[in-house]
Amino acid sequence: MASITLSHPSKKIQANIALTGSKSESNRALILQALSHGLVSVKNLSEAADTQTLFGILNTQKHTQITQVFDVGPAGTAMRFLTALLATQPGEYTLTGSQRMKERPIGILVDALQKLGSHITYLEKEGFPPLLIKGPFEQKENHIRIKGNTSSQYISALLLIAPILPKGLCLEIEGDLISKPYLEMTLAMLQEVGIQHSWESNQICIEKQEFKPSTLIVEPDWSAASYWYALAALAQEAIVSLPYLQAYSLQGDSKITELMANFGITSQFKNGELLLTKESKTPERKIFDLKECPDLAQTLIVCCAAIGHEATFTGLETLKIKETNRVKALQTELAKIGVTLIEKNLSYKLDCTHRVLPKKIQIATYEDHRMAMAFAPLALLIDEVEILDPEVVAKSYPHFWDDLKTAGFEIKM
């Protein structure tokens, strides 16, 4: 297996980093562009592999009599959004993905689409990809119940197709809603292209509506920015500028500004850029609720473990069904620095009693881009950090390793 070894001689960071467009915004924008038949245009599209996969599929989809086969690889958002989109389109489609994708559940979304009237069958294991989708469907009803503690991508997938459904759609969300900012992003982007909604109590309704000609400009990716916060937190000194990030963002991961303030990282928005600076500070906050931003979990947990801060984390219900079982992966890799991540009920606590920072460490990535990028900052505390399968970062941040070189990291192949 390929690997790279990271080191940073000075342990001080000064860099200007132009981040790629948000993967989350880009993927929603591409679906809206497809549903609007080109009335919606998109600028600053993400270079992430997941987005490019979705872009490629949407540009090769044809309404033919032949079954078209689309392979999303490891792209979870593409799988969820395409399942809903293709169900509304004329034609027959096989939607498949990587081996890990075939282990990631999709039954809740398929059940909802089937209640609406869609024709979707499982080709292998019940409740999981690959899927056979025959569209379009005749809508049976417009009111669906869906659990709020499931992947927000299921709910977003349904909301995105709602405006083209003859009867519109009302989603009743049962229980606590996780990843709420992602739903708010979906609804805000729908509104940008002329689609109105109502959200009262636990019910979101969208009537059948026409899209208006519009341009969606994708903001840089806050998830990618989060790794620069971790790098700043573990560096001896840090000044990092990130152009075009906005203080008021649609992206839930912009909460990293608040979370990393606990570690002495100051965020200043001025002259069209975000400036990160570091001051010496001992974290005091003991509980981090990540219900609205679970993709920040690995970044924050590794950061706390690296400095020996014994915090507790909640809101991580979806972590076990991501690119890998992220809880298990974190537990395995953190053990290499003597840190234990203890699962109790629905919370996770770090035990740093036996924490030790060796001279060299090897980190496995489990085909998960966030494992690679969350552990990379350890090279600011450990002389050599070997990252296995470093190409996984292409999924969301293809230029990550090049950007680290800009910040003074030495990388050996």
Side-chain angles (χ1 to χ4, degrees):
M1 180 182 289
S3 71
I4 58 173
T5 300
L6 306 176
S7 60
H8 198 298
S10 74
K11 315 298 184 192
K12 299 173 183 177
I13 290 178
Q14 186 164 352
N16 182 295
I17 305 295
L19 299 172
T20 187
S22 160
K23 180 164 70 87
S24 301
E25 286 187 34
S26 293
N27 292 347
R28 285 159 175 78
L30 285 174
I31 296 295
L32 292 171
Q33 185 177 50
L35 290 168
S36 72
H37 300 292
L39 282 176
V40 174
S41 60
V42 184
K43 288 186 177 178
N44 196 37
L45 196 67
S46 173
E47 297 169 355
D50 280 16
T51 296
Q52 295 304 315
T53 295
L54 180 58
F55 179 80
I57 289 172
L58 291 171
N59 280 281
T60 55
Q61 181 214 345
K62 297 180 180 67
H63 301 154
T64 68
Q65 301 299 313
I66 304 166
T67 302
Q68 293 178 79
V69 179
F70 295 131
D71 188 339
V72 303
T77 314
M79 172 59 73
R80 280 72 176 263
F81 287 3
L82 284 170
T83 298
L85 174 79
L86 294 176
T88 69
Q89 304 297 301
E92 186 169 299
Y93 310 94
T94 295
L95 190 58
T96 189
S98 64
Q99 186 54 46
R100 174 60 184 169
M101 187 57 61
K102 293 180 181 182
E103 297 167 359
R104 297 179 69 179
I106 199 164
I108 290 172
L109 175 58
V110 171
D111 287 349
L113 287 165
Q114 287 173 337
K115 284 173 188 169
L116 291 173
S118 68
H119 312 291
I120 304 176
T121 51
Y122 299 108
L123 292 175
E124 292 178 16
K125 188 179 176 184
E126 188 83 8
F128 297 83
L131 307 172
L132 179 64
I133 304 169
K134 298 180 183 180
F137 63 87
E138 188 174 327
Q139 191 176 3
K140 293 177 182 175
E141 58 179 282
N142 73 339
H143 188 278
I144 295 289
R145 286 194 182 95
I146 194 161
K147 293 188 187 309
N149 65 351
T150 186
S151 171
S152 64
Q153 291 177 7
Y154 300 153
I155 303 174
S156 284
L158 294 165
L159 292 173
L160 287 167
I161 65 167
I164 70 163
L165 297 178
K167 299 178 182 179
L169 181 63
C170 279
L171 284 182
E172 185 180 330
I173 298 167
E174 299 178 327
D176 284 343
L177 179 61
I178 62 170
S179 301
K180 184 180 179 183
Y182 285 104
L183 290 196
E184 292 172 335
M185 175 194 291
T186 301
L187 293 169
M189 292 181 72
L190 280 162
Q191 202 151 337
E192 280 189 65
V193 298
I195 305 301
Q196 306 304 314
H197 71 276
S198 65
W199 188 344
E200 295 175 10
S201 185
N202 63 337
Q203 189 160 281
I204 306 173
C205 293
I206 297 177
E207 296 179 359
K208 178 175 168 57
Q209 296 165 64
E210 298 296 323
F211 291 90
K212 70 176 185 185
S214 45
T215 300
L216 292 170
I217 301 172
V218 177
E219 185 189 5
D221 189 18
W222 270 100
S223 302
S226 73
Y227 305 113
W228 289 95
Y229 275 88
L231 288 159
L234 298 190
Q236 288 178 11
E237 297 174 15
I239 301 174
V240 179
S241 58
L242 303 169
Y244 310 119
L245 283 169
Q246 300 165 16
Y248 301 98
S249 174
L250 295 177
Q251 300 172 54
D253 285 353
S254 62
K255 192 176 182 183
I256 193 72
T257 59
E258 172 201 325
L259 296 171
M260 281 296 185
N262 294 282
F263 299 84
I265 307 303
T266 301
S267 305
Q268 291 179 289
F269 294 90
K270 61 181 183 182
N271 303 324
E273 69 176 16
L274 166 60
L275 185 67
L276 308 184
T277 53
K278 175 178 180 170
E279 60 184 47
S280 182
K281 183 177 180 182
T282 302
E284 295 175 1
R285 186 167 168 178
K286 287 291 189 181
I287 299 176
F288 293 90
D289 182 3
L290 304 180
K291 180 170 67 176
E292 295 189 344
C293 48
D295 282 344
L296 298 180
Q298 288 143 296
T299 308
L300 202 60
I301 290 170
V302 174
C303 201
C304 286
I307 62 174
H309 181 54
E310 296 190 332
T312 296
F313 305 87
T314 60
L316 306 184
E317 287 81 353
T318 60
L319 240 59
K320 294 182 180 180
I321 59 165
K322 296 282 189 177
E323 282 77 352
T324 185
N325 179 334
R326 287 178 170 169
V327 171
K328 188 175 179 183
L330 280 166
Q331 289 170 329
T332 303
E333 299 310 302
L334 289 175
K336 295 174 181 177
I337 59 169
V339 175
T340 307
L341 182 64
I342 302 163
E343 181 177 358
K344 188 174 182 181
N345 298 325
L346 293 176
S347 69
Y348 299 83
K349 186 179 187 306
L350 284 174
D351 180 349
C352 302
T353 310
H354 303 293
R355 168 181 162 273
V356 60
L357 297 175
K359 290 286 186 185
K360 183 174 182 178
I361 192 171
Q362 184 186 76
I363 299 296
T365 53
Y366 307 86
E367 299 181 4
D368 185 351
H369 54 135
R370 301 206 189 282
M371 286 297 290
M373 293 184 283
F375 278 87
L378 288 182
L380 291 159
L381 299 177
I382 292 172
D383 289 347
E384 292 187 7
V385 175
E386 184 183 4
I387 305 282
L388 298 178
D389 194 17
E391 294 85 0
V392 290
V393 301
K395 182 175 173 65
S396 63
Y397 189 169
H399 304 307
F400 181 68
W401 304 121
D402 290 333
D403 285 351
L404 287 193
K405 288 180 186 175
T406 302
F409 283 82
E410 294 180 357
I411 299 181
K412 296 176 185 172
M413 309 299 283

